[in-house]
Amino acid sequence: MDEPVKVWYDPEAAYLEVTLHDRARVYRDTALDQVMAEVDADGQIIDFSILKVSTLKGAPLDLSLAGAE
């Protein structure tokens, strides 16, 4: 991966965003309402975000972003 990964967290909103690439993107749904993903024109994951990340206690969040549609 040539580009640096950018991670942003807003503690007030409990919102975490991870950006893998900086290019044009389109929003895609995931299997969980709490997780959003964006992909490029080829369907490659550009970024993902997790809402209410502070509620993730105990068990890890289990989700495949490859299945984002």
mmCIF file of all heavy atoms in Angstrom, residues 35-61:
data_model
loop_
_atom_site.group_PDB
_atom_site.id
_atom_site.type_symbol
_atom_site.label_atom_id
_atom_site.label_comp_id
_atom_site.label_asym_id
_atom_site.label_seq_id
_atom_site.Cartn_x
_atom_site.Cartn_y
_atom_site.Cartn_z
ATOM 1 N N VAL A 35 -21.940 0.007 10.471
ATOM 2 C CA VAL A 35 -20.726 0.119 9.659
ATOM 3 C C VAL A 35 -21.084 0.619 8.264
ATOM 4 O O VAL A 35 -22.016 0.120 7.641
ATOM 5 C CB VAL A 35 -19.996 -1.237 9.554
ATOM 6 C CG1 VAL A 35 -18.760 -1.118 8.676
ATOM 7 C CG2 VAL A 35 -19.631 -1.754 10.936
ATOM 8 N N MET A 36 -20.339 1.607 7.789
ATOM 9 C CA MET A 36 -20.510 2.131 6.439
ATOM 10 C C MET A 36 -19.203 1.925 5.682
ATOM 11 O O MET A 36 -18.133 1.945 6.277
ATOM 12 C CB MET A 36 -20.840 3.623 6.488
ATOM 13 C CG MET A 36 -22.139 3.925 7.204
ATOM 14 S SD MET A 36 -22.452 5.695 7.319
ATOM 15 C CE MET A 36 -21.236 6.165 8.534
ATOM 16 N N ALA A 37 -19.301 1.734 4.373
ATOM 17 C CA ALA A 37 -18.108 1.569 3.553
ATOM 18 C C ALA A 37 -18.268 2.376 2.279
ATOM 19 O O ALA A 37 -19.380 2.634 1.822
ATOM 20 C CB ALA A 37 -17.881 0.099 3.217
ATOM 21 N N GLU A 38 -17.139 2.787 1.714
ATOM 22 C CA GLU A 38 -17.125 3.467 0.426
ATOM 23 C C GLU A 38 -16.119 2.751 -0.471
ATOM 24 O O GLU A 38 -15.081 2.300 0.000
ATOM 25 C CB GLU A 38 -16.775 4.942 0.596
ATOM 26 C CG GLU A 38 -17.878 5.690 1.328
ATOM 27 C CD GLU A 38 -17.564 7.155 1.498
ATOM 28 O OE1 GLU A 38 -16.493 7.478 2.036
ATOM 29 O OE2 GLU A 38 -18.404 7.970 1.081
ATOM 30 N N VAL A 39 -16.471 2.649 -1.744
ATOM 31 C CA VAL A 39 -15.635 1.939 -2.714
ATOM 32 C C VAL A 39 -15.329 2.840 -3.895
ATOM 33 O O VAL A 39 -16.006 3.844 -4.124
ATOM 34 C CB VAL A 39 -16.326 0.653 -3.219
ATOM 35 C CG1 VAL A 39 -16.579 -0.313 -2.071
ATOM 36 C CG2 VAL A 39 -17.628 0.974 -3.928
ATOM 37 N N ASP A 40 -14.294 2.468 -4.667
ATOM 38 C CA ASP A 40 -13.984 3.216 -5.877
ATOM 39 C C ASP A 40 -14.759 2.625 -7.055
ATOM 40 O O ASP A 40 -15.585 1.719 -6.879
ATOM 41 C CB ASP A 40 -12.475 3.254 -6.137
ATOM 42 C CG ASP A 40 -11.863 1.895 -6.431
ATOM 43 O OD1 ASP A 40 -12.605 0.917 -6.683
ATOM 44 O OD2 ASP A 40 -10.629 1.808 -6.433
ATOM 45 N N ALA A 41 -14.499 3.110 -8.258
ATOM 46 C CA ALA A 41 -15.229 2.666 -9.449
ATOM 47 C C ALA A 41 -15.035 1.178 -9.733
ATOM 48 O O ALA A 41 -15.873 0.554 -10.378
ATOM 49 C CB ALA A 41 -14.791 3.490 -10.659
ATOM 50 N N ASP A 42 -13.935 0.602 -9.233
ATOM 51 C CA ASP A 42 -13.655 -0.821 -9.441
ATOM 52 C C ASP A 42 -14.195 -1.696 -8.315
ATOM 53 O O ASP A 42 -13.987 -2.901 -8.314
ATOM 54 C CB ASP A 42 -12.151 -1.048 -9.571
ATOM 55 C CG ASP A 42 -11.576 -0.364 -10.806
ATOM 56 O OD1 ASP A 42 -12.281 -0.324 -11.834
ATOM 57 O OD2 ASP A 42 -10.440 0.127 -10.728
ATOM 58 N N GLY A 43 -14.851 -1.071 -7.325
ATOM 59 C CA GLY A 43 -15.402 -1.829 -6.209
ATOM 60 C C GLY A 43 -14.423 -2.092 -5.080
ATOM 61 O O GLY A 43 -14.737 -2.822 -4.147
ATOM 62 N N GLN A 44 -13.230 -1.483 -5.133
ATOM 63 C CA GLN A 44 -12.234 -1.649 -4.075
ATOM 64 C C GLN A 44 -12.576 -0.745 -2.894
ATOM 65 O O GLN A 44 -12.961 0.410 -3.076
ATOM 66 C CB GLN A 44 -10.838 -1.295 -4.596
ATOM 67 C CG GLN A 44 -10.382 -2.164 -5.743
ATOM 68 C CD GLN A 44 -10.240 -3.616 -5.325
ATOM 69 O OE1 GLN A 44 -9.636 -3.915 -4.297
ATOM 70 N NE2 GLN A 44 -10.795 -4.518 -6.103
ATOM 71 N N ILE A 45 -12.420 -1.255 -1.685
ATOM 72 C CA ILE A 45 -12.717 -0.481 -0.477
ATOM 73 C C ILE A 45 -11.778 0.724 -0.394
ATOM 74 O O ILE A 45 -10.556 0.581 -0.469
ATOM 75 C CB ILE A 45 -12.565 -1.347 0.788
ATOM 76 C CG1 ILE A 45 -13.583 -2.487 0.779
ATOM 77 C CG2 ILE A 45 -12.706 -0.496 2.047
ATOM 78 C CD1 ILE A 45 -15.013 -2.067 0.930
ATOM 79 N N ILE A 46 -12.370 1.902 -0.243
ATOM 80 C CA ILE A 46 -11.626 3.153 -0.088
ATOM 81 C C ILE A 46 -11.561 3.538 1.387
ATOM 82 O O ILE A 46 -10.530 3.933 1.899
ATOM 83 C CB ILE A 46 -12.292 4.298 -0.879
ATOM 84 C CG1 ILE A 46 -12.300 3.978 -2.355
ATOM 85 C CG2 ILE A 46 -11.652 5.627 -0.587
ATOM 86 C CD1 ILE A 46 -10.943 3.922 -2.973
ATOM 87 N N ASP A 47 -12.704 3.450 2.048
ATOM 88 C CA ASP A 47 -12.738 3.733 3.476
ATOM 89 C C ASP A 47 -13.912 3.024 4.123
ATOM 90 O O ASP A 47 -14.793 2.513 3.450
ATOM 91 C CB ASP A 47 -12.739 5.232 3.777
ATOM 92 C CG ASP A 47 -14.043 5.944 3.428
ATOM 93 O OD1 ASP A 47 -15.108 5.310 3.384
ATOM 94 O OD2 ASP A 47 -14.002 7.160 3.220
ATOM 95 N N PHE A 48 -13.864 2.980 5.443
ATOM 96 C CA PHE A 48 -15.000 2.459 6.198
ATOM 97 C C PHE A 48 -15.096 3.240 7.488
ATOM 98 O O PHE A 48 -14.118 3.839 7.953
ATOM 99 C CB PHE A 48 -14.876 0.951 6.458
ATOM 100 C CG PHE A 48 -13.732 0.552 7.333
ATOM 101 C CD1 PHE A 48 -13.892 0.433 8.699
ATOM 102 C CD2 PHE A 48 -12.485 0.286 6.785
ATOM 103 C CE1 PHE A 48 -12.829 0.058 9.509
ATOM 104 C CE2 PHE A 48 -11.422 -0.094 7.572
ATOM 105 C CZ PHE A 48 -11.595 -0.212 8.942
ATOM 106 N N SER A 49 -16.285 3.262 8.052
ATOM 107 C CA SER A 49 -16.500 3.960 9.310
ATOM 108 C C SER A 49 -17.430 3.139 10.189
ATOM 109 O O SER A 49 -18.227 2.341 9.698
ATOM 110 C CB SER A 49 -17.071 5.358 9.072
ATOM 111 O OG SER A 49 -18.247 5.279 8.304
ATOM 112 N N ILE A 50 -17.266 3.348 11.484
ATOM 113 C CA ILE A 50 -18.064 2.627 12.470
ATOM 114 C C ILE A 50 -18.736 3.644 13.370
ATOM 115 O O ILE A 50 -18.067 4.486 13.976
ATOM 116 C CB ILE A 50 -17.191 1.679 13.307
ATOM 117 C CG1 ILE A 50 -16.446 0.701 12.390
ATOM 118 C CG2 ILE A 50 -18.041 0.933 14.326
ATOM 119 C CD1 ILE A 50 -15.422 -0.146 13.098
ATOM 120 N N LEU A 51 -20.040 3.571 13.438
ATOM 121 C CA LEU A 51 -20.818 4.436 14.316
ATOM 122 C C LEU A 51 -20.922 3.791 15.694
ATOM 123 O O LEU A 51 -20.935 2.563 15.807
ATOM 124 C CB LEU A 51 -22.222 4.636 13.750
ATOM 125 C CG LEU A 51 -22.308 5.205 12.340
ATOM 126 C CD1 LEU A 51 -23.746 5.137 11.844
ATOM 127 C CD2 LEU A 51 -21.794 6.619 12.317
ATOM 128 N N LYS A 52 -21.015 4.604 16.720
ATOM 129 C CA LYS A 52 -21.155 4.130 18.102
ATOM 130 C C LYS A 52 -20.047 3.136 18.463
ATOM 131 O O LYS A 52 -20.301 2.119 19.098
ATOM 132 C CB LYS A 52 -22.531 3.486 18.311
ATOM 133 C CG LYS A 52 -23.693 4.407 17.997
ATOM 134 C CD LYS A 52 -24.995 3.675 18.170
ATOM 135 C CE LYS A 52 -26.118 4.458 17.541
ATOM 136 N NZ LYS A 52 -27.321 3.655 17.415
ATOM 137 N N VAL A 53 -18.829 3.437 18.042
ATOM 138 C CA VAL A 53 -17.714 2.520 18.282
ATOM 139 C C VAL A 53 -17.475 2.307 19.779
ATOM 140 O O VAL A 53 -16.992 1.245 20.177
ATOM 141 C CB VAL A 53 -16.441 3.000 17.550
ATOM 142 C CG1 VAL A 53 -15.846 4.215 18.213
ATOM 143 C CG2 VAL A 53 -15.440 1.887 17.422
ATOM 144 N N SER A 54 -17.856 3.241 20.603
ATOM 145 C CA SER A 54 -17.655 3.094 22.051
ATOM 146 C C SER A 54 -18.554 2.015 22.649
ATOM 147 O O SER A 54 -18.318 1.578 23.771
ATOM 148 C CB SER A 54 -17.896 4.431 22.760
ATOM 149 O OG SER A 54 -19.231 4.840 22.578
ATOM 150 N N THR A 55 -19.552 1.557 21.910
ATOM 151 C CA THR A 55 -20.436 0.501 22.413
ATOM 152 C C THR A 55 -19.874 -0.896 22.166
ATOM 153 O O THR A 55 -20.441 -1.878 22.624
ATOM 154 C CB THR A 55 -21.834 0.581 21.768
ATOM 155 O OG1 THR A 55 -21.719 0.333 20.365
ATOM 156 C CG2 THR A 55 -22.479 1.931 22.012
ATOM 157 N N LEU A 56 -18.766 -0.991 21.440
ATOM 158 C CA LEU A 56 -18.165 -2.286 21.135
ATOM 159 C C LEU A 56 -17.332 -2.742 22.332
ATOM 160 O O LEU A 56 -16.164 -2.430 22.443
ATOM 161 C CB LEU A 56 -17.288 -2.199 19.891
ATOM 162 C CG LEU A 56 -17.974 -1.754 18.615
ATOM 163 C CD1 LEU A 56 -16.960 -1.623 17.492
ATOM 164 C CD2 LEU A 56 -19.069 -2.718 18.234
ATOM 165 N N LYS A 57 -17.957 -3.476 23.197
ATOM 166 C CA LYS A 57 -17.281 -3.956 24.401
ATOM 167 C C LYS A 57 -17.458 -5.466 24.471
ATOM 168 O O LYS A 57 -18.511 -5.994 24.149
ATOM 169 C CB LYS A 57 -17.862 -3.294 25.640
ATOM 170 C CG LYS A 57 -17.680 -1.789 25.634
ATOM 171 C CD LYS A 57 -18.327 -1.140 26.810
ATOM 172 C CE LYS A 57 -18.146 0.374 26.687
ATOM 173 N NZ LYS A 57 -18.847 1.109 27.680
ATOM 174 N N GLY A 58 -16.426 -6.140 24.872
ATOM 175 C CA GLY A 58 -16.513 -7.590 25.009
ATOM 176 C C GLY A 58 -16.109 -8.293 23.730
ATOM 177 O O GLY A 58 -14.949 -8.576 23.511
ATOM 178 N N ALA A 59 -17.054 -8.539 22.854
ATOM 179 C CA ALA A 59 -16.785 -9.264 21.611
ATOM 180 C C ALA A 59 -16.388 -8.293 20.502
ATOM 181 O O ALA A 59 -16.894 -7.179 20.430
ATOM 182 C CB ALA A 59 -18.022 -10.044 21.189
ATOM 183 N N PRO A 60 -15.496 -8.709 19.608
ATOM 184 C CA PRO A 60 -15.122 -7.841 18.484
ATOM 185 C C PRO A 60 -16.237 -7.759 17.448
ATOM 186 O O PRO A 60 -17.104 -8.632 17.378
ATOM 187 C CB PRO A 60 -13.890 -8.534 17.896
ATOM 188 C CG PRO A 60 -14.049 -9.960 18.281
ATOM 189 C CD PRO A 60 -14.765 -9.971 19.600
ATOM 190 N N LEU A 61 -16.209 -6.722 16.671
ATOM 191 C CA LEU A 61 -17.134 -6.558 15.553
ATOM 192 C C LEU A 61 -16.673 -7.501 14.453
ATOM 193 O O LEU A 61 -15.515 -7.483 14.058
ATOM 194 C CB LEU A 61 -17.094 -5.109 15.071
ATOM 195 C CG LEU A 61 -18.082 -4.686 14.011
ATOM 196 C CD1 LEU A 61 -19.517 -4.805 14.543
ATOM 197 C CD2 LEU A 61 -17.803 -3.264 13.598
#
